[in-house]
Amino acid sequence: MNRVINNPDLVVEDMLKGILCAHPELVSAPGNPRVIKHRGAPLAGKVGIVTGGGSGHEPAFIGYVGENLVDAVAVGEIFSSPTAKSFFDAIKAADGGAGVACLYGNYAGDNMNVKMALKLADRAGIAVKTVVANDDVASAARGDEAKRRGVAGEILMWKAAGACAAQGGTLDQVIEVAQRTIAQTRSIGIGLTSCTIPAVGKANFHIADGQMEVGIGHHGEPGISVSAIVPATEMARIMVDAVLGDLPFKRGDRVAVLLSGLGATPLMEQYILYHSVAELLADAGIVVAVPLIGNFFTSLEMMGVTLSLLQLDDELETLIRHPCSSIGLNMPGAKA
Amino acid sequence: MSQTIELASAGQVVLDLIETINDNRAYLSEIDGAIGDGDHGINMSKGFSQCRERLLESPSLPGLGESLDTLGMTLLEGIGGSMGPLYGSFFIGLAETFAGHRQLDAALFGRALARAIDEVESVGSAKVGDKTLIDTLVPARDAYLAALSGGADFSAALSAMNAAAERGWQSTKDLQARVGRASRLGERSIGVLDAGATSCFLLLKTLATSLQKRL
């Protein structure tokens, strides 16, 4: 295991020190170093946006705390849900009196910790509503969407909801936007190598050399099939087919495309893949209104990619294009 | 043999639970590694050790109820994942049932166990057969309560609980995981013990033997 770390048990703590050092607009919440909030949060009268999840997915989740985006995040150990206390402290840190939207991914641990945090928030008199992202088409069959995991599509949910809240949306409006965004988003991943949690010291799972796993999860959860690696054009076809048919997307749709590397995939290869994705979408009569390519939601040093498509309507397109700034995502026009 | 335990002087039971988890840190991670992240022992040991520090900070060891409450709260605040809320709810459920009592007897323990498991079930979604710690907990509770209504004394009922916990834990080997991260493995999860069911058995076994020593 060749890694740029100090103590493998303290990688999350050490990362947070670096992030706070580099980004003065981010601060830790009083009394809880595992909650990071935007310096300006909470903003009186604005609906607070909260998320959280395990570490190892950087820039998610912390990298989406920013202007017109997420107000506060709960930070967990690598691939492990933050505590109920941290979710609650993040909710408190984001509460400007207009309620808090807690927008997170569908994982057993996150569901339980958010559930307990909601009890604490209720006792503290904070109005909180949740949306649980389930954009990963590979994690359960069509018709069984409630069982699907949340993956990179969560970023689009935070983006639209954050823009809605920044423009004065009420809690119900923000929740409706978040729900609609994730309901119209479909994602799929392909993994080519495993990844190693530093404190564990050995690979989290196994993919044989020359093989790829279609439908792999963000923590190496098994996908739909394992097969020999194919050229990028063919990977693009597999991924586009999987997402297009599921919603389904249709001719004439305008979409936001988010293509993310999983940590070890060179940006060069992400663009190689994107070109094929764009061609396939054009062939299907689908217009890419917003293309986002880069390491948006990773899994430590896993080699692989995820593809997320959001079917836009006029309101969602405006919200996705709304200016924002953060470590992970920037749309021009936002103040720093 | 006495049939009651003085709660105020039984805080050591919680230190015994902590010692069990710390002694099995590597074993629990190894079991988890087969179908999970391989960090179950590390996380559990981290939370239980934090509780140990908090308990030993006070001038004298708190009673059993208060120590269990400290354990539950420390797990809720200190470890995330699924185990923080599940075990946190379990130990707080025990502690809340003991509150206001000075003596622990067989009936009170039965009520505490039942309530603690209700709390776990309200946080998680698992049922018996899903390959989780519920497969250890539910048969253990049922066996304990059945032994009591069959006329067993406190110690004998604890032995029945322990035996059923062990069978429940072993049953997870042949089960296919239906909730939690291992459920993503489908049939590949069959043939390995569940890590949560394992730590749960170790905790119930220690709870039984540590209480029996005080009877």
Side-chain angles (χ1 to χ4, degrees):
Chain A
M1 188 181 67
N2 299 347
R3 302 293 273 271
V4 187
I5 58 170
N6 298 309
N7 182 341
D9 289 335
L10 297 177
V11 287
V12 176
E13 283 79 1
D14 289 354
M15 167 188 74
L16 290 177
K17 284 181 200 160
I19 286 178
L20 293 177
C21 221
H23 298 279
E25 73 280 15
L26 301 180
V27 290
S28 57
N32 192 338
R34 288 306 186 92
V35 172
I36 303 295
K37 69 172 194 105
H38 193 252
R39 190 172 282 286
L43 196 62
K46 186 186 94 73
V47 171
I49 307 286
V50 162
T51 189
S55 293
H57 300 300
E58 290 70 28
F61 296 73
I62 198 170
Y64 299 98
V65 175
E67 197 72 40
N68 298 345
L69 273 168
V70 173
D71 293 295
V73 290
V75 180
E77 291 294 325
I78 292 185
F79 294 173
S80 182
S81 170
T83 64
K85 176 87 165 35
S86 292
F87 271 113
F88 172 56
D89 287 343
I91 287 167
K92 274 198 295 186
D95 175 36
V100 174
C102 182
L103 313 174
Y104 67 101
N106 189 22
Y107 295 91
D110 294 312
N111 283 325
M112 284 187 243
N113 284 293
V114 168
K115 195 168 175 180
M116 303 224 52
L118 293 184
K119 283 190 193 173
L120 299 172
D122 188 47
R123 211 181 293 168
I126 304 173
V128 187
K129 292 191 175 180
T130 61
V131 177
V132 186
N134 59 339
D135 50 306
D136 182 4
V137 299
S139 47
R142 258 186 101 188
D144 215 1
E145 283 86 357
K147 284 193 181 157
R148 288 179 172 176
R149 300 182 290 258
V151 285
E154 289 180 51
I155 296 164
L156 300 167
M157 170 175 74
W158 302 324
K159 176 70 193 78
C164 178
Q167 295 177 98
T170 64
L171 180 55
D172 284 341
Q173 286 168 334
V174 170
I175 289 292
E176 189 279 322
V177 161
Q179 252 156 5
R180 179 156 34 115
T181 305
I182 210 66
Q184 292 177 196
T185 300
R186 293 293 182 275
S187 301
I188 190 162
I190 290 185
L192 283 74
T193 67
S194 185
C195 56
T196 299
I197 297 174
V200 176
K202 61 181 172 57
N204 211 25
F205 58 99
H206 186 70
I207 299 177
D209 199 31
Q211 301 281 296
M212 65 177 192
E213 185 152 345
V214 176
I216 198 159
H218 269 171
H219 314 92
E221 296 95 332
I224 303 165
S225 64
V226 177
S227 59
I229 289 177
V230 294
T233 49
E234 186 59 18
M235 288 183 196
R237 194 192 56 74
I238 292 168
M239 297 175 95
V240 167
D241 283 353
V243 293
L244 285 193
D246 193 89
L247 187 59
F249 293 82
K250 55 188 190 304
R251 191 163 283 277
D253 277 352
R254 292 173 67 79
V255 295
V257 177
L258 189 148
L259 192 157
S260 178
L262 284 173
T265 309
L267 206 46
M268 168 187 267
E269 295 174 23
Q270 296 175 34
Y271 278 107
I272 289 172
L273 182 70
Y274 179 71
H275 179 244
S276 298
V277 168
E279 281 191 335
L280 289 163
L281 292 177
D283 289 348
I286 291 168
V287 179
V288 178
V290 183
L292 298 163
I293 296 98
N295 293 310
F296 289 99
F297 205 130
T298 63
S299 298
L300 294 172
E301 82 288 23
M302 200 192 298
M303 169 71 82
V305 284
T306 62
L307 176 69
S308 302
L309 255 64
L310 161 61
Q311 182 186 57
L312 295 166
D313 54 39
D314 289 347
E315 185 189 11
L316 290 184
E317 184 164 346
T318 308
L319 291 170
I320 293 289
R321 288 180 184 280
H322 190 72
C324 71
S325 69
S326 66
I327 297 172
L329 184 64
N330 291 282
M331 291 275 173
K335 57 183 192 289
Chain B
M1 192 189 280
S2 153
Q3 286 305 310
T4 61
I5 294 167
E6 180 87 24
L7 281 165
S9 59
Q12 175 66 36
V13 172
V14 174
L15 292 181
D16 291 349
L17 295 175
I18 294 165
E19 192 183 348
T20 293
I21 291 300
N22 285 336
D23 286 352
N24 287 283
R25 178 187 149 117
Y27 171 63
L28 290 172
S29 285
E30 189 193 317
I31 286 193
D32 188 35
I35 54 172
D37 279 355
D39 62 356
H40 184 59
I42 298 169
N43 282 340
M44 291 286 282
S45 172
K46 187 175 161 190
F48 278 66
S49 299
Q50 283 171 8
C51 175
R52 187 169 190 279
E53 283 167 32
R54 281 170 69 169
L55 289 176
L56 297 180
E57 266 170 19
S58 48
S60 63
L61 187 62
L64 181 55
E66 212 181 309
S67 296
L68 285 168
D69 191 60
T70 303
L71 177 57
M73 287 309 292
T74 311
L75 296 178
L76 265 192
E77 292 175 12
I79 63 172
S82 302
M83 292 303 134
L86 290 171
Y87 278 123
S89 304
F90 180 76
F91 290 116
I92 290 169
L94 291 179
E96 286 180 347
T97 318
F98 294 165
H101 292 270
R102 299 177 62 172
Q103 301 288 332
L104 176 61
D105 62 14
L108 180 61
F109 184 78
R111 290 203 300 279
L113 189 61
R115 162 130 179 225
I117 294 169
D118 285 349
E119 296 285 341
V120 172
E121 287 179 322
S122 83
V123 174
S125 56
K127 303 272 177 289
V128 169
D130 287 346
K131 199 179 181 96
T132 70
L133 80 181
I134 288 290
D135 291 306
T136 303
L137 284 175
V138 168
R141 174 197 63 197
D142 293 349
Y144 180 87
L145 296 175
L148 271 199
S149 49
D153 66 10
F154 196 176
S155 182
L158 287 170
S159 294
M161 173 186 88
N162 186 15
E166 180 161 12
R167 287 192 299 273
W169 162 50
Q170 286 296 329
S171 78
T172 63
K173 187 163 187 174
D174 296 327
L175 291 171
Q176 177 173 333
R178 285 204 288 255
V179 300
R181 195 166 293 163
S183 68
R184 315 297 187 194
L185 289 164
E187 288 179 5
R188 283 196 256 168
S189 65
I190 297 173
V192 206
L193 289 163
D194 177 65
T198 305
S199 58
C200 191
F201 162 66
L202 293 170
L203 287 167
L204 288 181
K205 182 184 172 191
T206 305
L207 190 58
T209 51
S210 186
L211 288 174
Q212 282 169 334
K213 267 192 275 176
R214 286 166 176 77
L215 284 170

